[in-house]
Amino acid sequence: MAYKHGVYTSEVATSIIPAVNTTAGLPVVFGTAPIHLATDRAKSNRPILCYSYQEAVEQFGYSKNWQEYTLCEVMYSQFSLYNRSPIVFVNVLDANKHKEAIENRELQLNDKVATIAEPILLETLKVKKASEGEALSLGVDYEVAYDDNEVLNITALDEGQLVTEEITSIFIDCDKLDPSLVNEDDIIGGIDISTGAYKGLETLNQVFPLYGLVPGIVLAPGWSDKSEVSAVMKAKASNINSHFKAITIHDAPTDTVTKYTDVNKWKNDNNFTGENQVLCWPMVKLGDDIYHMSTHALGAIATTDSSNDDIPYESPSNKSIQIDGICLANGTEVILGPDEANYLEGQGIVTALNFIGGWKLWGNRTCCYPSNTDPKDSFICIRRMFNWHSQTFIQTYWAKVDKPINKRLIETVVDSENIRINGFVSEGILLGGRIEFLEDENSTTNLLDGIIKFHTYFTPPTPAREIENVIEYDPSYFSSLFS
């Protein structure tokens, strides 16, 4: 030790640790995007975090053709209808794979402009004066741009080779996107054996390493009704980075399941029974646009969370959603009253109801209900609270991993957590709770092996799904006639 003479100070770590702020409902959405319209194209099969509509459109493009480009539905709904962010998008439409070649396509020149209403990949486009001619120069002979109707305009420049009376048409070679080539395997994804690259749902494990944000909700509108996709969504979301859990929101198909009484059979036949799964039926509409209900369920959840400091203790049920009707995929109107909507909820299915106060999301239950009635599994909000509390605990105390197991470590965790839990109780977020370090759960052999276990007891409030008032006629008040 160095020789000292004088007055010195030192520091110790604070015994109470503030919790890490987490994003309870961070949505991760898998699907296809019109990347031919993107100005700053994002890489396919890579999670991209977007905080604004502009940011999303620049990287993925935007199209009203939601059936072929499924990410656009969520993009428009979350940013424009619900004004909620951020969102992580994963586009599985690969320009190197899901494409079709066009060779020597002749296009007519009208007023120096040729048009083609197909999803052309601009980086592959070659414009020629003749079918066997040399490629002309972009920026010298012609310019290209998509208009608001997603039509590609090829404009001949005044000083270029196309501005002569003899030339009335041009020829193009190019590749165009073909979203019809995307299938369930692309959504499911996996790991490329040759490159080790992650694809599809496998990229869910990349979100936290990339952005430091834990996925809270996983969607794949247009794909989540497929039983194999659903099974992989459930498996991946239940074990993110071997530490975290998220809920998944699915849609029952409305082309084959057209009656509310048939949804439960479809649900059970296709194994939608997970505690982290939410199933919706039917579809919804706003104006001329038809949406998957899972998209608007996400909007209701995000809006509810944002009004509660991003703590998911309140149910999204009976919260307003931005729709003006419910329907089947073909636009056929569906009419549900409280009895029909409650039947669906009783089978663990979320729907929408227009009864009092406009259109509301209707349903508190996850897919495991009614076979599993454990509140922590069967109520959407309580399931999410358990997921959120777990991810917060992991991130808050990760820095304590490999610290010496001593009294100070134990007290730091216990005291910090109890202060946090007591704060939630005082705010009404929890009915009660505590964390303990129990001797009978921490054997000497585990302690010798560097393993310690804490035990948290906490009670998020259940949603008041049924409110009853017993009204009785009381004849004794006739006495007021004589007073």
Side-chain angles (χ1 to χ4, degrees):
M1 177 180 289
Y3 179 81
K4 291 185 177 182
H5 183 192
V7 179
Y8 302 89
T9 64
S10 61
E11 297 180 1
V12 295
T14 305
S15 59
I16 303 298
I17 299 176
V20 171
N21 291 324
T22 60
T23 304
L26 177 69
V28 183
V29 189
F30 294 83
T32 52
I35 52 177
H36 61 290
L37 300 174
T39 57
D40 183 20
R41 185 186 300 174
K43 186 178 179 181
S44 64
N45 286 294
R46 181 179 176 86
I48 303 295
L49 180 67
C50 297
Y51 278 88
S52 69
Y53 179 72
Q54 178 182 353
E55 198 176 4
V57 171
E58 286 175 353
Q59 296 184 82
F60 295 100
Y62 178 78
S63 171
K64 287 294 291 183
N65 184 358
W66 294 349
Q67 288 187 324
E68 290 191 332
Y69 305 113
T70 58
L71 292 182
C72 293
E73 175 186 327
V74 180
M75 190 185 301
Y76 179 78
S77 178
Q78 281 296 98
F79 288 128
S80 298
L81 298 183
Y82 292 94
N83 194 26
R84 303 298 166 199
S85 67
I87 312 174
V88 175
F89 293 104
V90 182
N91 168 50
V92 304
L93 181 56
D94 189 342
N96 296 315
K97 175 182 176 183
H98 306 112
K99 63 181 180 179
E100 177 186 335
I102 294 176
E103 295 182 359
N104 289 322
R105 173 81 63 85
E106 185 175 9
L107 303 177
Q108 294 300 310
L109 270 174
N110 297 306
D111 294 328
K112 300 193 296 185
V113 178
T115 61
I116 179 170
E118 296 181 50
I120 305 301
L121 293 165
L122 296 182
E123 68 272 20
T124 69
L125 178 64
K126 294 180 181 179
V127 177
K128 303 176 293 185
K129 289 191 294 184
S131 60
E132 302 301 325
E134 294 292 326
L136 300 175
S137 297
L138 176 66
V140 175
D141 299 307
Y142 67 94
E143 289 286 1
V144 294
Y146 282 98
D147 62 22
D148 291 340
N149 295 315
E150 301 171 29
V151 174
L152 181 64
N153 291 271
I154 304 172
T155 304
L157 295 178
D158 289 339
E159 303 300 323
Q161 300 181 48
L162 293 175
V163 184
T164 64
E165 293 182 0
E166 294 80 14
I167 298 177
T168 59
S169 65
I170 60 173
F171 294 82
I172 63 170
D173 295 334
C174 59
D175 290 335
K176 70 172 184 177
L177 282 178
D178 189 351
S180 68
L181 296 177
V182 177
N183 56 34
E184 295 175 34
D185 290 337
D186 294 302
I187 298 293
I188 292 169
I191 301 177
D192 190 298
I193 297 176
S194 59
T195 65
Y198 285 44
K199 295 183 178 181
L201 286 164
E202 198 69 39
T203 63
L204 189 61
N205 280 332
Q206 295 181 325
V207 175
F208 185 72
L210 283 171
Y211 304 112
L213 299 173
V214 179
I217 304 172
V218 180
L219 281 84
W223 299 96
S224 62
D225 61 320
K226 311 294 190 292
S227 57
E228 190 172 355
V229 172
S230 162
V232 177
M233 285 176 67
K234 177 171 65 173
K236 297 299 180 184
S238 297
N239 187 25
I240 302 171
N241 301 121
S242 301
H243 287 84
F244 308 118
K245 293 181 180 180
I247 67 165
T248 59
I249 308 181
H250 307 257
D251 298 280
T254 60
D255 53 350
T256 56
V257 184
T258 59
K259 298 178 181 178
Y260 79 95
T261 50
D262 295 336
V263 184
N264 184 51
K265 182 180 186 304
W266 181 91
K267 172 195 167 189
N268 291 321
D269 288 347
N270 288 275
N271 200 33
F272 282 79
T273 56
E275 65 270 15
N276 278 302
Q277 286 183 301
V278 176
L279 180 63
C280 303
W281 186 91
M283 299 185 80
V284 304
K285 68 182 185 70
L286 180 63
D288 295 329
D289 295 328
I290 295 177
Y291 300 76
H292 294 90
M293 190 178 290
S294 61
T295 299
H296 284 264
L298 173 63
I301 289 172
T303 302
T304 304
D305 287 354
S306 67
S307 64
N308 292 311
D309 294 326
D310 203 33
I311 302 174
Y313 75 98
E314 186 173 352
S315 173
S317 181
N318 204 22
K319 303 299 189 298
S320 295
I321 50 178
Q322 302 277 44
I323 67 172
D324 56 22
I326 56 177
C327 61
L328 304 179
N330 61 9
T332 301
E333 183 182 25
V334 174
I335 300 175
L336 298 177
D339 293 339
E340 293 84 3
N342 288 343
Y343 168 79
L344 289 171
E345 182 180 0
Q347 304 303 319
I349 300 157
V350 172
T351 189
L353 179 65
N354 183 16
F355 189 58
I356 296 175
W359 283 100
K360 307 288 180 71
L361 193 72
W362 196 256
N364 288 300
R365 299 295 190 175
T366 64
C367 286
C368 73
Y369 190 83
S371 61
N372 179 356
T373 58
D374 187 333
K376 79 174 181 65
D377 296 328
S378 62
F379 280 115
I380 295 171
C381 54
I382 298 181
R383 180 63 262 160
R384 294 187 64 226
M385 274 295 286
F386 270 74
N387 292 351
W388 172 79
H389 185 80
S390 295
Q391 66 172 250
T392 304
F393 184 89
I394 291 167
Q395 293 181 77
T396 300
Y397 300 104
W398 188 266
K400 296 300 181 184
V401 172
D402 295 331
K403 292 290 185 181
I405 297 177
N406 53 28
K407 198 74 171 178
R408 183 176 181 83
L409 174 63
I410 305 303
E411 290 176 349
T412 296
V413 176
V414 170
D415 292 346
S416 299
E417 279 297 285
N418 278 327
I419 289 172
R420 187 167 74 98
I421 290 171
N422 289 339
F424 291 152
V425 173
S426 66
E427 294 179 59
I429 294 169
L430 296 176
L431 300 181
R434 68 189 187 280
I435 187 172
E436 296 180 355
F437 182 74
L438 302 173
E439 185 175 355
D440 59 359
E441 292 184 354
N442 289 275
S443 64
T444 301
T445 53
N446 278 351
L447 293 173
L448 285 169
D449 200 28
I451 300 171
I452 55 175
K453 181 182 292 187
F454 297 91
H455 196 136
T456 296
Y457 305 81
F458 82 144
T459 308
T462 54
R465 69 177 184 89
E466 181 178 341
I467 301 173
E468 182 177 353
N469 178 21
V470 178
I471 303 174
E472 180 180 350
Y473 188 93
D474 189 346
S476 67
Y477 287 107
F478 280 116
S479 61
S480 66
L481 298 175
F482 306 100
S483 59

